[in-house]
Every structure is written in structure tokens, then in C-alpha cells.
Amino acid sequence: MSDSLQTFDTPTKRILPFILATAIFMQMLDSTILNTSLPSIAADLNESPLNMQNAIISYVLTLALFMPVSGFLADKFGTKKVFIFAIIVFSLGSLFCALSQNLTQLVISRVVQGIGGSLMTPVGRLALLKTYDKNELLRAMNYAIVPALIGPVLGPVVGGYMVDYLSWHWIFLINIPIGFVGIVLSLKYMPNYQSKIITFDLKGFLIFATASLLLSISLEMFGTATHTTPVLMIFILGFLMVYFYYRHASKTENPIFPLNLFQVRTFRVGILGNLATRLGISSVPLLLPLMIQIAYGASAVVSGWIVAPMALTAMFGKSSVIKILNRFGYRKTLMTNTFIIGFLICCLAIPGIQTSIWWFVPIIAVMGFFNSIQFTSMNTISLADLRNSHTSSGNSLIAVNQQLAIGFGIAFGLVVLKLFENNANLNYENTHSAFRYTFIVMGILTILSGFVFRRLHSKDGENMRTDH
């Protein structure tokens, strides 16, 4: 075990980051591994590949629907019970997916998986929040977050190989041994935190869940819709429900997400920064493999390998982030880091159609390093100043926000790409040019999003320092 983890003085503190890591890894792998495997699953189930989108959407929507309730369930039944229940449900969902004989069975199985997934990560992170002192939290979160960086990159590679050399069923069966490890470790080391004061804001949950659902549906449809007007209506309706929730929360005594969460500046900036910076960052793992396959004509496995170095360099970023934050503080680190990531996304537009696709490898490798710093910093600053009474609701809201932010990023990337593809002035090397311009737009947007972190004070996050 790593030396820096040895500094945690109890077995629970040493093992807990790995327990959360198993949950994050399963969820992130599952969100991405399916993308490369859809055509072969479609062929096996005698379905059109276009209909297979339902298998992805059903999972995403279930996450959006149940994530808001994760904090309440953990407070009522205890973090240990809910976390183990979530892993069991997720693993069973994975088994049902592998055994599915048709698309309907697969969609239902994905919903079961989604119920488990919506509770796993938020509840695991809540246990982490309540176990560690503020100055230990950064290191603990740092270990737990690595799978979140590796999952989206390994997913397409592992999925490609499993489909080519085994069968698509294995992309779901791989979760079962990981889930088993998570359950065994949780039984022994997961603490069972409960809250004495529990009130459930059912009306607030229904309004907020409807908002999450409508926003998620619209984001999923933006990428594939031929007519954007109905999708736009659903999107606006989603935002309208957010406003209704705001109205409800301002009058209710114990809303599911208290509005005074947003009076905490570090939480407010963390949530907003997460949403803004992921617009550009989230689209890259989707757009780059697409460009390599469509514009350059390479195989899915090759495109997977080109993105893979991101996972390796993320590990190096993980080992550097604590030193960087201790030295420069959150404000300077997050602003500079966001600018660098934005510049690197713009760099993906440089190689021409005649250039070797391996030129993307160094850009992607450097990006993996800075992504690692970005996600650890954004997640920990959001939690830095939350009071104990706010940890459950704040943590659930961060989970919902991340889920929507990734969806926003992917949908926005696809919309920008479509706009450029439909532009009559781009007739020369049309598709490749459309991708290049898309990367420039996403890069500039990411650079601009760095200014969100200007609202942090230079001393923010001092309580998270590990060198006290």
C-alpha cells in the first residue's frame, strides 16, 4: 500500500478511498464501455444500432432521477447499508444485462443498474466526507478519483477488445468481481453514519427529479435529434422546473437541497466551475475517437489506444496535485489549469488530414495530467467549507451537477460539430474541418470558463492543506 496512505491512522481511513474507487470505477467504466459495443449488441439482439441508444439513455435518466435522494437514504438507513445495497443492485443489474435476450430486457436491466449507480458514488463519497478531517480529505479524495479519470479512457479500449475477442456479454460481467471486492471491503471497513434529524421533502424531490429528468432527456436527444425545436422545449421546461424548485425551497423549512448551500462561496464557485469547465472537457473523450474513426478511417481499437495515455498521465497528475495545491492554492491552480486544458483542446485542431494520427497521443497524454489536477481540485473546493448539517445534501447536489455537466458537455460538443458539418463553406475535407473547428470552439469555451474561479479568494481551501 502507498506510503502516503499509511499516514491515515486507522484501517478504515486507509481502505475507504479504495472502496469508493471500486464504485466510481464500475460506474465510469459502465458509462463508456457500452459505446464501442453497441453495434455488436444490436446485431446479436436483431435490433437497429440506432435503437440501441435507449440502453444508454435509460441508465443516464435513472441516475438523474435517483441521485437527489441519495443523501436522504444515507442519513436514514446509514452509509454502510445503503452503499452495500447499491453495489448489490448495480452488480445484479450488470448480470441481468449480460443475460438479456432482447432490447426491452436490456433497457430494464440498465434501469436496475442505474438505481445502484445513482446511490453508489454519492453515498461512498459522503462516508469519505464524514470520516476524514478537512486537511486529510484532499489526499483521500485524490485516491478515490483516479478511476473516474481511467474509466472513460479504458472503457472504449476494453469494450473494443471484449467485443472482438470474447462477446459483448463480458462488458457487463466484468462488474461482478469488482462489485464483490467492493462488498467484502465495505462489510469490514465502511462506517455506518446516520442522521438523527431526518425529514424528507417529497414535493421538493419530485420537482428537482423532474428538472433533472427533463434536462437529461434533452441533453441525450440533442446529439441525435433531427428537429431541435421539441428538444429545446424539453430543455426550457427543465430549467423552468429548476426555477419552481427555487421557489419551493425558499418557502420550505427543510428542502432536499437548502438554498443556503449557495451562500457558501466555495461551494457556489465549485458547482458553477464544474458545470462550466466540463462543457469542453467532457466532449473530448467522445469527439476525438469519433474523428479518428470517421475522418481518418481508423478502427475503434486504434482510436481507443490513442486516447488511452490519458489514463496513464492522470496517475502522475494524482501524485502532483497535493503539492501543487499546497504551493499555489486553489484559486491560482484552478484558473491556470483550466486555461492550459482549454489550450490543449485547441491543439487537437492542429494536425491536418494528412498528418499521422499518432500526433494526437502527446496532446492527449499532457491533457490527462492536467485533467487529474482539475477534477481533484474542483471536487474538493466544493466541499471545503460545507457545515456538517449540509454534507449530505451538498454532496448529493454535487453528484447531480457532475452528471448533468458531463451530459451538457457531450451534447454541446455534438451540437457544435453538427453546425459545422452543415456549413456549406466547409466543403473541402468537410468532416475533418468540422471536427477541427469544434475543438477550437470547445477549447476557447474552456479557457473562458477558467474565469469562474476568479471568484475564489487566494486563501480559500486553506483548511484543506495537508502540510499543516
Side-chain angles (χ1 to χ4, degrees), residues 263-270 325 327-335 377 381-382 384-385 450-465:
Q263 289 169 8
V264 181
R265 191 186 59 260
T266 47
F267 181 82
R268 192 171 63 239
V269 174
L325 284 170
R327 182 166 179 195
F328 298 107
Y330 278 88
R331 185 179 188 268
K332 209 177 277 184
T333 300
L334 277 165
M335 280 187 71
S377 306
I381 196 64
S382 306
D385 298 321
F451 289 105
V452 171
F453 300 110
R454 274 186 72 182
R455 293 180 169 270
L456 290 173
H457 292 177
S458 55
K459 295 285 184 194
D460 282 341
E462 282 279 304
N463 57 338
M464 311 286 278
R465 285 178 71 101

Side-chain angles (χ1 to χ4, degrees), residues 69-80 82-83 119 122-123 126 130 192-195 198 392:
V69 83
S70 59
F72 162 74
L73 290 175
D75 282 348
K76 184 168 173 62
F77 299 106
T79 46
K80 183 175 190 168
V82 175
F83 186 77
L119 301 175
V123 173
L126 182 62
K130 295 194 171 191
N192 199 41
Y193 298 110
Q194 277 179 274
S195 180
I198 302 162
S392 294

Side-chain angles (χ1 to χ4, degrees), residues 238-278:
F239 267 110
L240 204 60
M241 293 306 286
V242 172
Y243 171 70
F244 284 138
Y245 176 78
Y246 168 77
R247 290 277 304 272
H248 163 80
S250 56
K251 294 175 194 163
T252 310
E253 200 172 319
N254 286 307
I256 190 163
F257 297 124
L259 293 182
N260 57 4
L261 275 172
F262 292 95
Q263 289 169 8
V264 181
R265 191 186 59 260
T266 47
F267 181 82
R268 192 171 63 239
V269 174
I271 284 268
L272 191 62
N274 229 313
L275 201 57
T277 54
R278 283 180 192 267

Side-chain angles (χ1 to χ4, degrees), residues 252-434:
T252 310
E253 200 172 319
N254 286 307
I256 190 163
F257 297 124
L259 293 182
N260 57 4
L261 275 172
F262 292 95
Q263 289 169 8
V264 181
R265 191 186 59 260
T266 47
F267 181 82
R268 192 171 63 239
V269 174
I271 284 268
L272 191 62
N274 229 313
L275 201 57
T277 54
R278 283 180 192 267
L279 263 185
I281 295 171
S282 302
S283 61
V284 173
L286 172 82
L287 291 176
L288 187 61
L290 263 183
M291 178 168 79
I292 288 163
Q293 287 174 60
I294 296 168
Y296 289 88
S299 70
V301 171
V302 168
S303 73
W305 274 113
I306 283 174
V307 184
M310 221 181 206
L312 201 62
T313 50
M315 305 287 277
F316 293 113
K318 178 191 75 70
S319 58
S320 311
V321 66
I322 294 172
K323 293 180 204 132
I324 290 168
L325 284 170
N326 283 345
R327 182 166 179 195
F328 298 107
Y330 278 88
R331 185 179 188 268
K332 209 177 277 184
T333 300
L334 277 165
M335 280 187 71
T336 310
N337 203 67
T338 312
F339 296 155
I340 292 168
I341 293 172
F343 171 73
L344 289 167
I345 295 172
C346 289
C347 288
L348 293 171
I350 295 170
I353 194 75
Q354 305 303 327
T355 315
S356 163
I357 51 174
W358 299 104
W359 277 105
F360 290 109
V361 173
I363 303 170
I364 277 294
V366 177
M367 201 184 294
F369 177 85
F370 288 105
N371 275 358
S372 178
I373 294 166
Q374 188 77 10
F375 295 140
T376 300
S377 306
M378 286 195 304
N379 286 340
T380 50
I381 196 64
S382 306
L383 303 163
D385 298 321
L386 286 187
R387 289 188 226 123
N388 288 339
S389 57
H390 281 161
T391 43
S392 294
S393 54
N395 179 59
S396 296
L397 189 54
I398 288 167
V400 176
N401 181 60
Q402 273 179 15
Q403 187 63 36
L404 287 173
I406 293 167
F408 269 116
I410 291 168
F412 191 71
L414 288 171
V415 167
V416 174
L417 180 64
K418 269 190 179 173
L419 288 173
F420 283 125
E421 274 186 329
N422 297 335
N423 189 330
N425 300 326
L426 292 178
N427 48 14
Y428 174 64
E429 294 171 359
N430 190 2
T431 309
H432 184 245
S433 297

Side-chain angles (χ1 to χ4, degrees), residues 26 66 69-70 73-74 77-93 111-121 123 179 182-184 186-187 190 192:
M26 281 198 290
F66 289 103
V69 83
S70 59
L73 290 175
F77 299 106
T79 46
K80 183 175 190 168
K81 287 177 189 161
V82 175
F83 186 77
I84 291 172
F85 168 78
I87 293 189
I88 291 169
V89 170
F90 189 88
S91 303
L92 281 174
V111 169
V112 174
Q113 255 192 330
I115 293 168
S118 66
L119 301 175
M120 250 178 359
T121 310
V123 173
I183 292 165
V184 170
S186 300
L187 284 167
M190 172 65 85
N192 199 41

